[in-house]
Amino acid sequence: MGGGGFTAEPQNPALDDFILALAGEREPRILFLPTASGDPRAQMAAFRSTFGARACQPTQLSLFRLEGRHHDLRALILEQDIVYVGGGSMRNLLAIWREHGLDEILREAWHTGVVLAGLSAGGMCWFEHGITCSTGLPAPTIGLGFLPGSLSVHYDGQPERRPVYLDAVARGAITAGYGADDGVGLLFEETELVRVVASRPGTHAHRVEPGEDGDAVETTIEPELLAAAPGMRQRDIPEDIREFRAQRHAAARRR
Amino acid sequence: MEAGNALLDEYVLGLTNVARPKVCFLPSASGDADHYIVRFYRAFSASRCEPSHVSLFRRDKGAGLGCDIAEHLLDQDLIYVGGGSVMSLLGVWRAHGLDEVLREAWRRGTVLCGLSAGSLCWFSEAVTAFHGPAQRVPGLGLLPYSNCVHYDGEPGRRDSYHRFLAEGMLPGYAAGDGAALHFCGESLARVVSSRPKASAFWVEEVGGDVSEVALAVGWLGGSRTLTAA
């Protein structure tokens, strides 16, 4: 996602619901990794309140706080249907994952069919390259490389990234790829782009490739607008069901 | 930064030999947790020192930063590293080149201190028990020993440390909660504590057994003169 989901557009559940539906399970197990922001409590609370009320089994993993729990990281990740990565600093994200061996575990998860999702740094990390603002100014950086090519996010919302991205692609410093506006999601199966979706009208994805004259060429891709009406889904769930789910999730956490 | 106990904070400030030292807090091991940064500014108030912090996660980079991070850190009298995950800490530091900056600060004589992960990071090897079983983690290696923290506070740490030592881990220092190891260069100069009963040990493998030598710990609150008049 170029930006979107509960942390970026809390009133609009379209992209989060889209991700949940990808697992093909009635109640998919979804793990949130807020590593790129340093596991802030507010983001973790937002995940709990957003996904706690939905038809799913949400878990989150902090790589910064012990919280009295001991995890087998590999087992925890491989048992998920979806891994959802939050935004923040792409450079920090990958450095911390490597330190904990999560890069290899996530590669294994991807190969076994776990849906990998994320926004901003959590979207770019899956590609060979991204444009990070981790040290202030936008700069190209290396990702995990599960997906060939590059991704630059917040294409409309943070326009200072675009010239850096175009220049890097034009020079061949990084591989060709995509720019994604806030609210736009790219769906890959294996390594192939199969759908481009959006949570709001007026947003686009952009194919960015090196041109013949030394410039980068941008081709606009019109996304499918996702149907979910902002703010409606949460209210559709009866209060007793939300309460029941909250209790069940609390019990699961205690186990 | 213990609640209601400023003894160790006062001690590290005193090591700088500067009336109003420049103190920079690195909360990287906690993911730059807001509540931790606030606690630092409460403990190290502007009346006593010139406090600042460096954030590697937030765009604002930290308070009081008019220059780049390396320049700022090399200008400090005291660098205070907060607790959290030592593995995440070292990963983020390396990604931003802070490992080299801190090495340089150490060579220049900046006082480096920290608790928990902020202690482990300075040693050649550390015992971490963050996810699952305890494991050995290489640190920055400024101090050529191993280190184990929360030695008395968390069951299992001591056993794991002893097992690692038997398996060839470098000999080193174990510190209980409230105890602080003070090194000058690579040599241990003193062991002090914020609590009367804190403990610290030199731990090494000797002929197949692990030997634990208790170190003399000076309680920093003990020298207070009480006058009842």
Side-chain angles (χ1 to χ4, degrees):
Chain A
M1 290 183 277
F6 71 101
T7 52
E9 39 180 16
Q11 300 308 313
N12 188 341
L15 282 164
D16 288 340
D17 286 343
F18 177 76
I19 291 166
L20 280 178
L22 291 175
E25 296 281 335
R26 205 162 53 86
E27 294 202 353
R29 284 159 297 190
I30 180 168
L31 173 74
F32 181 52
L33 289 172
T35 322
S37 293
D39 304 339
R41 288 178 202 280
Q43 207 177 90
M44 297 180 79
F47 174 79
R48 263 196 302 279
S49 66
T50 306
F51 286 89
R54 282 183 160 68
C56 63
Q57 303 171 54
T59 318
Q60 32 194 343
L61 173 65
S62 167
L63 294 176
F64 284 94
R65 284 188 296 276
L66 186 59
E67 290 168 348
R69 269 172 282 166
H70 280 193
H71 300 286
D72 176 338
L73 293 182
R74 184 170 170 275
L76 176 71
I77 286 171
L78 292 180
E79 73 183 15
Q80 301 300 317
D81 298 303
I82 303 167
V83 173
Y84 188 131
V85 181
S89 160
M90 181 169 167
R91 183 177 301 214
N92 293 2
L93 173 72
L94 292 169
I96 295 164
W97 279 0
R98 284 195 193 105
E99 210 64 37
H100 292 271
L102 247 67
D103 47 347
E104 286 311 313
I105 296 171
L106 287 167
R107 189 184 299 274
E108 192 180 349
W110 184 57
H111 285 305
T112 57
V114 176
V115 176
L116 304 180
L119 73 148
S120 193
M124 296 190 288
C125 63
W126 313 118
F127 291 81
E128 288 174 285
H129 298 102
I131 298 293
T132 180
C133 289
S134 300
T135 50
L137 297 173
T141 192
I142 293 174
L144 294 173
F146 300 176
L147 298 176
S150 58
L151 176 66
S152 186
V153 293
H154 309 304
Y155 215 63
D156 54 346
Q158 294 178 10
E160 67 275 15
R161 290 175 190 255
R162 181 170 165 266
V164 175
Y165 183 50
L166 294 179
D167 175 62
V169 171
R171 285 188 290 116
I174 65 176
T175 45
Y178 301 91
D181 287 352
D182 287 322
V184 170
L186 306 172
L187 175 64
F188 290 80
E189 267 178 31
E190 308 282 332
T191 56
E192 191 185 335
L193 181 68
V194 292
R195 285 175 79 183
V196 179
V197 297
S199 60
R200 36 182 142 139
T203 54
H204 299 96
H206 311 265
R207 174 72 190 162
V208 178
E209 292 164 300
E212 283 172 10
D213 54 358
D215 282 343
V217 179
E218 274 177 304
T219 314
T220 301
I221 305 170
E222 196 66 42
E224 308 166 39
L225 187 60
L226 295 171
M232 288 300 291
R233 288 295 181 86
Q234 288 286 64
R235 256 176 279 138
D236 287 343
I237 303 164
E239 190 53 40
D240 49 354
I241 294 194
R242 297 182 62 160
E243 193 183 327
F244 169 74
R245 280 184 186 153
Q247 278 178 3
R248 192 182 37 162
H249 296 148
R253 276 199 295 277
R254 279 195 297 272
R255 274 205 299 275
Chain B
M1 290 196 255
E2 288 172 83
N5 185 337
L7 291 171
L8 285 170
D9 299 340
E10 280 302 323
Y11 184 77
V12 292
L13 284 169
L15 294 178
T16 62
N17 291 319
V18 175
R20 196 158 172 273
K22 288 181 227 168
V23 183
C24 185
F25 181 51
L26 288 175
S28 327
S30 68
D32 299 336
D34 290 342
H35 66 94
Y36 205 7
I37 297 170
V38 169
R39 223 165 85 204
F40 165 75
Y41 283 105
R42 272 200 214 110
F44 291 83
S45 74
S47 60
R48 181 72 181 80
C49 59
E50 276 182 53
S52 64
H53 77 280
V54 164
S55 167
L56 298 176
F57 284 90
R58 315 274 177 265
R59 292 281 160 68
D60 61 12
K61 298 294 165 223
L65 241 72
C67 52
D68 75 36
I69 292 176
E71 209 176 304
H72 181 74
L73 288 175
L74 294 175
D75 188 40
Q76 300 300 307
D77 300 302
L78 173 64
I79 292 172
Y80 193 122
V81 180
S85 160
V86 70
M87 288 168 79
S88 296
L89 173 76
L90 292 167
V92 177
W93 279 3
R94 288 193 193 109
H96 290 264
L98 251 65
D99 49 343
E100 285 310 314
V101 175
L102 291 167
R103 215 180 290 279
E104 177 60 23
W106 184 66
R107 278 194 286 267
R108 293 190 189 186
T110 308
V111 179
L112 306 177
C113 74
L115 74 152
S116 193
S119 163
L120 298 174
C121 63
W122 311 117
F123 291 82
S124 289
E125 276 199 277
V127 179
T128 180
F130 199 70
H131 288 297
Q135 32 178 328
R136 293 163 66 164
V137 179
L140 293 182
L142 302 182
L143 301 171
Y145 319 100
S146 57
N147 184 216
C148 181
V149 293
H150 306 303
Y151 199 59
D152 51 357
E154 289 178 13
R157 288 251 182 169
R158 185 172 172 271
D159 295 345
S160 306
Y161 190 28
H162 288 196
R163 194 178 74 242
F164 293 148
L165 288 162
E167 289 166 6
M169 193 180 204
L170 278 177
Y173 294 93
D177 291 340
L181 306 161
H182 171 190
F183 291 86
C184 291
E186 294 179 355
S187 320
L188 184 71
R190 275 181 84 185
V191 185
V192 295
S193 76
S194 58
R195 310 171 192 179
K197 285 198 174 143
S199 60
F201 302 89
W202 166 254
V203 192
E204 64 182 328
E205 188 263 347
V206 180
D209 286 327
V210 172
S211 112
E212 210 174 51
V213 180
L215 303 170
V217 179
W219 179 41
L220 294 168
S223 57
R224 221 177 279 159
T225 313
L226 297 178
T227 309

